[in-house]
Amino acid sequence: DAGVTQSPTHLIKTRGQHVTLRCSPISGHKSVSWYQQVLGQGPQFIFQYYEKEERGRGNFPDRFSARQFPNYSSELNVNALLLGDSALYLCASSLSSTGGRTDTQYFGPGTRLTVL
Amino acid sequence: GIQVEQSPPDLILQEGANSTLRCNFSDSVNNLQWFHQNPWGQLINLFYIPSGTKQNGRLSATTVATERYSLLYISSSQTTDSGVYFCAVVTSGSRLTFGEGTQLTVNP
């Protein structure tokens, strides 16, 4: 089975633009989470979606939004890009969202976003 | 929120050496995962270990939940072990809180 896939792999935008990042979870996984990793730091939680509903939101501004589709794939949208949004954006999938063993999260390869 | 501290921040080894990476966390957790991030940014699952000890080849991990720490052991290190090792904990739902990582360099 394929792992978590993300697109695009790399993206260059300018300040003020909008960006959409995409993620497809492992087959059978119903939960998708998004993380932002700035260079030299650990990933920071942005959103979690389970069965198309938002289950958690990290400390990020309203410029960040996400949604999950009926096939469990997900999009992360960022409006009015700032230089500080330059980062590796990681998507993770898991079977459920209860915090137990079935919530082991598996990460995709990430999308590297550069804002100029 | 919960604090996750990893030590050491950097570690340089010769091939064949053993090492221990530590993860301390400030509150009770529902689960804990160890990851290896390769130079291309891919996070690779190593262990799901909320408590107890597990082994997988040259790697093993121990979590003592009552004392709020976890250890990752790497034996007979190889150059391919280089990268950043992250500890991440879950406190609510399945949201992961990561430490700052340990940058491991294994020289031939």
Side-chain angles (χ1 to χ4, degrees):
Chain A
D1 280 342
V4 179
T5 59
Q6 292 186 241
S7 63
T9 54
H10 294 85
L11 204 51
I12 299 175
K13 293 285 189 178
T14 57
R15 282 176 294 177
Q17 285 189 311
H18 162 270
V19 68
T20 298
L21 311 180
R22 295 178 175 83
C23 171
S24 292
I26 292 171
S27 177
H29 284 193
K30 298 181 178 181
S31 176
V32 169
S33 298
W34 287 94
Y35 294 81
Q36 180 196 65
Q37 186 178 21
V38 174
L39 192 64
Q41 298 181 15
Q44 298 288 318
F45 173 78
I46 310 175
F47 285 110
Q48 185 201 11
Y49 276 78
Y50 177 71
E51 291 279 17
K52 296 170 287 180
E53 292 187 0
E54 183 181 304
R55 288 298 185 93
R57 183 184 182 116
N59 188 24
F60 281 81
D62 291 344
R63 299 184 296 107
F64 288 76
S65 64
R67 55 180 176 169
Q68 187 177 32
F69 298 99
N71 66 354
Y72 303 111
S73 67
S74 178
E75 283 183 355
L76 175 69
N77 295 283
V78 187
N79 293 324
L81 285 167
L82 303 174
L83 296 179
D85 295 331
S86 295
L88 179 66
Y89 288 85
L90 295 162
C91 172
S93 78
S94 60
L95 281 170
S96 63
S97 65
T98 60
R101 173 80 192 241
T102 54
D103 274 2
T104 301
Q105 295 196 37
Y106 298 89
F107 282 80
T111 294
R112 195 166 296 278
L113 172 65
T114 302
V115 182
L116 301 176
Chain B
I2 191 168
Q3 303 299 311
V4 181
E5 295 181 355
Q6 292 187 242
S7 59
D10 297 281
L11 187 58
I12 300 174
L13 302 173
Q14 287 300 120
E15 204 166 24
N18 302 327
S19 62
T20 300
L21 282 57
R22 187 177 179 101
C23 172
N24 292 331
F25 41 96
S26 60
D27 205 348
S28 300
V29 299
N30 294 330
N31 77 46
L32 184 147
Q33 290 185 244
W34 281 97
F35 296 91
H36 174 215
Q37 189 167 43
N38 65 24
W40 297 272
Q42 176 77 56
L43 277 170
I44 300 164
N45 288 55
L46 297 178
F47 294 102
Y48 165 92
I49 186 164
S51 63
T53 296
K54 291 186 178 180
Q55 181 156 6
N56 184 5
R58 296 181 296 103
L59 302 180
S60 64
T62 295
T63 297
V64 183
T66 54
E67 297 187 20
R68 299 179 183 170
Y69 73 88
S70 183
L71 302 174
L72 178 69
Y73 304 96
I74 304 174
S75 64
S76 304
S77 58
Q78 301 175 356
T79 56
T80 52
D81 294 331
S82 295
V84 184
Y85 289 80
F86 285 104
C87 163
V89 301
V90 173
T91 53
S92 62
S94 55
R95 172 189 308 207
L96 286 169
T97 299
F98 284 78
E100 292 294 292
T102 291
Q103 173 75 58
L104 175 65
T105 302
V106 181
N107 293 320

